[in-house]
Amino acid sequence: MISIKNLTKIYRTPIRGKHFVTDLFNHHYKKITALDQVSFEIGQNELIGFIGPNGAGKTTTLKILSGILYPTSGDAKVLGFTPFDKKPAFLKQIGFVMGQRNQLIWDLPAVDTFVLNKEIYDVSDQDYQKNIDDLISILNCRDVIDKPVKTLSLGQRMKMELIATLLHRPKLIFFDEPTIGLDIFSQEAVRKFIKTYQKEFKSTIILTSHYLEDVKRLAKRLLIINQGKILYDDDLKTILEKFGGGKYVTVMLEKGVDQNLLTKIGAPITNQFPKVVYRVKRSDIPQTINLINQLLPYSDLTVEDERIEEIIKKLFGK
Amino acid sequence: MKNFKLFFLFSRNALRTTLQARSGVWFFMIGKICRFAFFFLMILLIFGKTKIVRGYSLPQMLVFYLTFNLIDTTAQILFREVYRFRYQVISGEFDLTLAKPFHPFVKILIGGVDFLDLLLLIPYLLLTLHFAWQTHAVTAFNLVAYFVLLFNSLLIATAFHIVVLALGILTTDVDHTIMIYRDLTGMARFPMQIYQEPLREIFTFIIPVGLMMTFPSQALFNLLKPSFFALAFLISFTMIFLSLRLWNAALKKYQSWGG
């Protein structure tokens, strides 16, 4: 469905000189490599989590894949099309949700944008009604579609944005930070929506987010990008096995114990009574638990994988 | 056909948005009427002192001025959205237009028809026909030539606006380039004969605002050579072609600002 090879995008940005008057006559630019020989493939019905720090190249990749930006070099094929050709047959099959942008007409009810998109995407009256009903029912937002957009909360606007983008049932959807700025309830609603939508309509989805929770909850495959290069492209589970060197053992103590006793098990990474946390190699888990049973009075004991946030931090550190 | 339907929907939404700000509607209309009335008065004052200016009578001079207003107002009616293009570029909303299956011009060039200006067009047209009739030089053929050249002027206006959009992508500046366009076309409120050479040639053929604003009226008074008629279309088509080339080049350079 998506195949990109050696995709490179270089932005040219002006450099401010020492004096604003001489700047008018001497233009200097610097080149910023947003994508550097990026290659990957994505198959049908996949839901990909695409993460990286600010300026890593996530949004640039999505914009090239959707035909908004022209790549400096490399090949991109999406649904059999070259995106920048902007063929209507291609654009009708994609949808782009941008968390920080909106397509809704500010002064008018969201339903006016839906009607406009119905014409833009050549959706039949029958399909329009069915798709709108389906989306409204998943998002539970029937009462807001007739209210002017400017009167809606951010969460409600995002729901309207999702309907506007998806009412033509795109095969491929780009979600660029769809939960940014939303409260935890709205974030949860958007996550739930994406999961339900993908399950029901078998779309291919690429999701970028700063909230790792979004990716952990939704994606099976993870693409990690930093400084324009792909650092990781594999299953979400595999990253834990490959790069997660250990597990976290959390002990909730019943009563205070001597520090020497605690260090007999290992050096705790957190020690705030009653909570003590150890980072332990996978192979040492049985031995550590035995020791804890013998030495510590505890009310609760949990063993967790290393947090994905930590693993990704380590990857970026490389 | 689809683009016409979209144009209709964008225009309907633009009208509904405009009508949200009622006091703004009245101030806008009063401002436009005042500006038109002051220029009209100025012409009457000039002709109160003399009968002929550069070979043109009062009704002819009024037709030149009204024709300028017809073209200028029609361009503003159609291309109002261009004035909002900078915001779309710097906010990144233009991205969403590019990701949709229609030609972006339907939205960013003609997607915000200004219905307030449309109301002013009717008196301009009636007054033009009224004063044209007073010149006693108007024939059916001249009238057809006049309207054909008005259409040609709109092609030139379209090319100018496409250039403004392309420069908007390349520099994120729209306000200044559109003001340059407005100032240049404003030089052609009156016939080119009021300028000395080489200004007259420059304004007629190089920056073809003279061709755009005064050729239609000259055709109406049967003062335009047939070769100039053909030249007018050659220049407008060349401008459209070049502006589209610039637009396509600009799209390749688009950097998508705003994150």
Side-chain angles (χ1 to χ4, degrees), chain A residues 9 11-12 59 63 66 68-70 84 86 88 91-92 94 96 98 101-103 105 107-109 112 115-117 119-122 150, chain B residues 2 5-6 9-10 12-14 16-17 20 91-96 98-102 104 248 251-259:
Chain A
K9 177 70 186 175
Y11 291 119
R12 212 172 69 123
T59 305
K63 284 176 182 172
S66 57
I68 294 169
L69 290 178
Y70 186 71
F84 193 77
K86 298 184 205 303
L91 295 172
K92 275 183 191 176
I94 66 164
F96 204 144
M98 299 184 188
R101 315 266 159 84
N102 82 75
Q103 60 178 309
I105 306 163
D107 290 302
L108 305 180
D112 287 293
V115 171
L116 186 63
N117 281 4
E119 297 303 328
I120 288 172
Y121 290 98
D122 296 318
K150 61 186 173 190
Chain B
K2 179 184 168 182
K5 205 165 184 182
L6 290 178
L9 281 172
F10 279 124
R12 193 187 69 171
N13 290 339
R16 290 176 61 198
T17 303
Q20 299 271 322
S91 69
E93 280 182 21
F94 181 50
D95 289 352
L96 291 165
L98 287 175
K100 286 194 160 59
F102 64 91
N248 287 329
L251 269 188
K252 287 189 174 179
K253 301 271 181 198
Y254 178 56
Q255 302 212 109
S256 180
W257 284 268

Side-chain angles (χ1 to χ4, degrees), chain B residues 207-255:
Chain B
I207 311 164
V209 289
L211 184 152
M212 184 179 168
M213 299 297 188
T214 65
F215 271 27
S217 303
Q218 286 178 327
L220 189 66
F221 308 138
N222 207 18
L223 299 172
L224 193 70
K225 290 179 195 164
S227 56
F228 278 19
F229 205 95
L231 187 66
F233 274 93
L234 181 70
I235 288 177
S236 65
F237 280 112
T238 307
M239 284 185 69
I240 288 279
F241 172 76
L242 292 176
S243 64
L244 289 174
R245 289 288 296 266
L246 180 66
W247 169 256
N248 287 329
L251 269 188
K252 287 189 174 179
K253 301 271 181 198
Y254 178 56
Q255 302 212 109

Side-chain angles (χ1 to χ4, degrees), chain B residues 128-146:
Chain B
T128 308
L129 293 174
H130 169 74
F131 288 114
W133 188 252
Q134 286 191 2
T135 62
H136 306 294
V138 179
T139 63
F141 178 79
N142 292 349
L143 209 57
V144 171
Y146 176 74

